[in-house]
Amino acid sequence: MPENLAALYARVSSEQQADEHTIDSQVAALRTRVTEDGLLIPAEREFLDEGYSGATLVRPALERLRDLIAAGGIDRLYVHSPERLARRHAYPGTAAG
């Protein structure tokens, strides 16, 4: 059976949220779901952006994640909600659907 290449992405938008470790609750929930699905995600496939707004797509961990996806390195992505990836789900010049 082929390996399921999974990753997770979490983000908090403000320094206050980062200081209060609210990203930890997102990551804990995602890890629980991953375990329930019978998978393991190594630390290098946990992409975390702390203190970055969802209004911008220029975030260090998100950029590394996109590069890995473009290279075919991810089969399944765990994210707490679509807003963690972007506030707007369709950006001008991108294909939707």
Side-chain angles (χ1 to χ4, degrees):
M1 181 174 178
E3 179 184 5
N4 193 330
L5 301 173
L8 67 82
Y9 179 80
R11 174 186 65 80
V12 292
S13 59
S14 72
E15 286 183 35
Q16 179 183 4
Q17 288 174 318
D19 290 343
E20 293 172 0
H21 305 289
T22 58
I23 199 166
D24 294 340
S25 62
Q26 287 181 48
V27 172
L30 292 169
R31 287 177 180 158
T32 297
R33 177 60 193 262
V34 167
T35 300
E36 289 170 356
D37 289 349
L39 299 173
L40 294 173
I41 294 181
E44 65 270 12
R45 288 185 179 269
E46 290 187 0
F47 297 88
L48 311 178
D49 278 319
E50 296 189 64
Y52 288 89
S53 170
T56 179
L57 293 177
V58 180
R59 292 177 248 143
L62 183 60
E63 293 203 1
R64 290 191 314 273
L65 174 61
R66 283 194 305 254
D67 289 346
L68 187 58
I69 290 169
I74 299 291
D75 297 320
R76 184 182 295 191
L77 177 63
Y78 290 83
V79 62
H80 195 264
S81 70
E83 288 76 22
R84 298 298 88 203
L85 293 171
R87 292 235 174 89
R88 290 178 56 190
H89 299 150
Y91 279 81
T94 61

